[in-house]
Amino acid sequence: MKVNLRIWRQKGPDAPGAFQDFSGVEVVPEMSFLEMLDEVNRDLEAKGQEPVVFDSDCREGICGSCGAVVDGTAHGPGRQQTLCQLHMRSFQDGDTITVEPWRAAAFPVVRDLMVDRSAFDRIIQAGGYVTARTGSAPDANAVPIGKPEADAAFDAATCIGCGACVAACPNASAMLFVSAKSGHLGLLPQGQPQRYSRAEAMVQTMDGEGFGGCSNHGECEAACPKGIGVSYIARLNRDLLRAASGAASK
Amino acid sequence: MSALTSLVRSTIGKKVVMGLTGLIMVGWLVLHTTGNLLIFAGQDAFNHYAHFIQSGFGVEPQLLWLMRIALVIAVGAHIWAAVGLTARNRSARPVAYAGGRKDAATTYAARFMMGAGVVLLLYVAFHLAHLTVGAFSDHPVMPTTFSKVDAYANLVHGVGVPFVGALYILANLALGAHLYHGVGSGLQTLGADGPTWTPLKARLTLWVPLFIAGGNLVIALTCMFGVGVLIDAPDPAWVSPH
Ligand code: FES
């Protein structure tokens, strides 16, 4: 099958960008989207042209490196998958596919489809950790944790930090990411001592990085490859309100 | 920095202000619509109710002003938060998606919050001039003399004018849309979520706008088409409750 591609090309963060058209690109349905891009790059290199720059690492949906907005949707059509898990069988012969990078002030374009997501790293540095010495992994039954809490913490912890939530949000808000990261620690006993200061510090850093505010559109939840829900956002807000009201220090 | 200061300064603080002031206004709107529905109980009952409000809920006339000031503060804070957040949200994505971004979960109501908000602000100004101040007495907008005692006649004659009625209908459609997103969003921002709240929130999201906007729409349509059928035409000689 053949597809037409419109891929965003941009030489650097401040350089103007534009779509480059590739028509009649030969693909097989079994190819992943990134393998398709690899083929495009092989052709470009053969012609002595600059390949399309994009991030990827594990190519199995666990590392969070890949990501682009395909036909207006972060990580492309289909729910709960990363760009590397998208396959060409999701498209029809003759389709024109538009590919562009995450768009957010906090995620400047490095080149082509690659964006700088170190704003996420700085949010993690602000509070996405536990300072208590926890030693080596304890016996699973040493600290009893209820099944609902364990499940909720685990679901939040599946966040791979890909940034699709920001890319999909009409406001480029990072609330789903921040709420998942503060939630997964805040739900577990080890995370309790810093539960409220963590939430505050992460939100402060998030705001400082220039992300937008949450308007509860729910686009983040729909785009999240791990299906993390907006319930975590409500939970983060509860933590902040509890801290602000003084109820958390009692 | 205390947790309170840092919350107030954050985007979430603005959202909390938005949610709290919004819910205050929603509570007030529920009462306002309930009162309006007394139009179906007749001229006596409706004017009696209007008098009860004007007299400061039968307690102290100043109470009415207290309520008005509280509402003005709520509206002002709501707008302050909305303007600040909208500006921030715009600057958070300075370069739009060149190929467009597809909505997967949000609603038209949510996307139209700012637009509906502006429509509602203009409408509130008109509505106050129309039926509280009586600025259009003996005017095409209100063809009869605005009466200080006969709120029933003011409402029925005032909203009965086709283009005025149409304005009320449009404004209440905008109100319904604004509430459809606002009620659920406000509760979510305030952290209302979980086994109890999530289903309740879904119900409130539907029923609160249906009651408020739907109730007002029924009243506007009744003033336009139902006088003499659903409600009595105002008695011009009405002075005080019989
Ligand atoms: S490359 Fe690791 S998630 Fe896609």
Side-chain angles (χ1 to χ4, degrees):
Chain A
M1 74 190 240
K2 278 194 167 82
V3 294
N4 306 308
L5 299 168
R6 292 173 75 213
I7 302 179
W8 188 261
R9 306 301 306 266
Q10 184 172 338
K11 284 209 170 349
D14 301 316
F19 283 117
Q20 183 179 0
D21 289 319
F22 300 84
S23 49
V25 177
E26 192 68 54
V27 297
V28 285
E30 291 76 25
M31 270 179 166
S32 80
F33 198 81
L34 298 187
E35 283 165 341
M36 182 276 293
L37 288 179
D38 289 340
E39 290 298 315
V40 169
N41 279 347
R42 207 182 7 219
D43 282 354
L44 284 172
E45 278 172 50
K47 286 189 232 154
Q49 293 173 10
E50 288 282 346
V52 177
V53 174
F54 62 92
D55 264 321
S56 81
D57 188 8
C58 70
R59 298 208 172 190
E60 55 178 10
I62 56 168
C63 75
S65 293
C66 65
V69 169
V70 178
D71 289 340
T73 304
H75 289 308
R79 291 260 167 140
Q80 297 198 20
Q81 65 182 10
T82 54
L83 190 63
C84 58
Q85 292 172 309
L86 175 66
H87 286 74
M88 295 315 291
R89 56 176 169 263
S90 301
F91 300 93
Q92 304 287 322
D93 184 44
D95 274 359
T96 297
I97 307 169
T98 307
V99 194
E100 59 182 315
W102 292 167
R103 303 261 185 212
F107 287 167
V109 172
V110 175
R111 205 179 165 113
D112 299 338
L113 303 177
M114 181 195 252
V115 298
D116 177 359
R117 283 168 291 185
S118 53
F120 270 11
D121 299 339
R122 290 186 288 275
I123 292 172
I124 295 297
Q125 283 162 9
Y129 50 79
V130 168
T131 44
R133 267 177 193 282
T134 51
S136 54
D139 286 341
N141 58 359
V143 186
I145 300 171
K147 173 79 171 148
E149 289 77 40
D151 284 351
F154 186 84
D155 285 346
T158 58
C159 169
I160 52 175
C162 63
C165 45
V166 174
C169 175
N171 306 339
S173 170
M175 279 292 280
L176 190 64
F177 169 77
V178 173
S179 66
K181 292 301 180 190
S182 78
H184 101 252
L185 296 173
L187 277 157
L188 296 174
Q190 296 90 333
Q192 288 310 306
Q194 287 156 307
R195 174 167 163 189
Y196 299 100
S197 58
R198 168 184 307 115
E200 259 178 68
M202 292 179 84
V203 165
Q204 246 178 56
T205 310
M206 167 188 86
D207 283 347
E209 293 290 344
F211 292 103
C214 171
S215 299
N216 300 313
H217 287 292
E219 291 293 319
C220 52
E221 180 180 290
C224 178
K226 301 298 158 186
I228 296 171
V230 293
S231 284
Y232 291 98
I233 297 180
R235 190 175 186 284
L236 170 62
N237 288 4
R238 276 203 302 278
D239 275 3
L240 293 168
L241 285 167
R242 211 170 287 156
S245 71
S249 41
K250 274 174 208 146
Chain B
M1 206 181 330
S2 82
L4 184 60
T5 339
S6 85
L7 176 63
V8 170
R9 288 196 187 164
S10 70
T11 44
I12 299 171
K14 283 206 181 68
K15 289 292 305 183
V16 167
V17 168
M18 182 95 92
L20 277 178
T21 54
L23 292 178
I24 288 172
M25 291 188 266
V26 167
W28 182 83
L29 279 172
V30 168
L31 297 178
H32 187 35
T33 305
T34 310
N36 289 347
L37 287 169
L38 283 175
I39 190 181
F40 294 105
Q43 194 168 13
D44 262 7
F46 190 82
N47 284 343
H48 208 76
Y49 153 73
H51 179 76
F52 169 75
I53 301 283
Q54 280 155 5
S55 68
F57 316 98
V59 185
E60 159 64 53
Q62 302 292 342
L63 272 183
L64 182 61
W65 279 103
L66 204 69
M67 183 198 78
R68 285 175 175 162
I69 291 168
L71 278 173
V72 167
I73 294 174
V75 171
H78 200 72
I79 295 173
W80 167 79
V83 169
L85 284 166
T86 304
R88 190 193 171 84
N89 296 345
R90 293 248 164 88
S91 63
R93 179 164 295 134
V95 182
Y97 285 104
R101 193 192 57 77
K102 270 193 207 127
D103 284 333
T106 189
T107 57
Y108 286 115
R111 300 289 287 163
F112 190 58
M113 283 309 267
M114 201 55 175
V118 172
V119 168
L120 290 175
L121 187 63
L122 295 173
Y123 162 68
V124 167
F126 170 77
H127 180 48
L128 287 174
H130 184 210
L131 290 179
T132 304
V133 179
F136 308 110
S137 195
D138 295 315
H139 183 277
V141 170
M142 170 114 68
T144 53
T145 308
F146 181 83
S147 160
K148 282 211 160 26
V149 287
D150 197 354
Y152 183 80
N154 292 342
L155 175 62
V156 174
H157 291 311
V159 181
V161 180
F163 85 91
V164 179
L167 273 181
Y168 275 86
I169 289 171
L170 281 179
N172 274 286
L173 290 176
L175 177 61
H178 201 70
L179 294 177
Y180 180 67
H181 179 70
V183 170
S185 180
L187 289 170
Q188 165 84 2
T189 296
L190 296 173
D193 184 272
T196 320
W197 270 108
T198 304
L200 183 60
K201 200 164 52 182
R203 252 175 263 146
L204 289 172
T205 295
L206 192 66
W207 289 105
V208 170
L210 264 183
F211 176 72
I212 295 176
N216 290 339
L217 285 173
V218 167
I219 292 164
L221 289 169
T222 303
C223 292
M224 292 168 81
F225 307 109
V227 180
V229 187
L230 293 169
I231 56 169
D232 293 332
D235 172 3
W238 196 91
V239 234
S240 67
H242 306 297

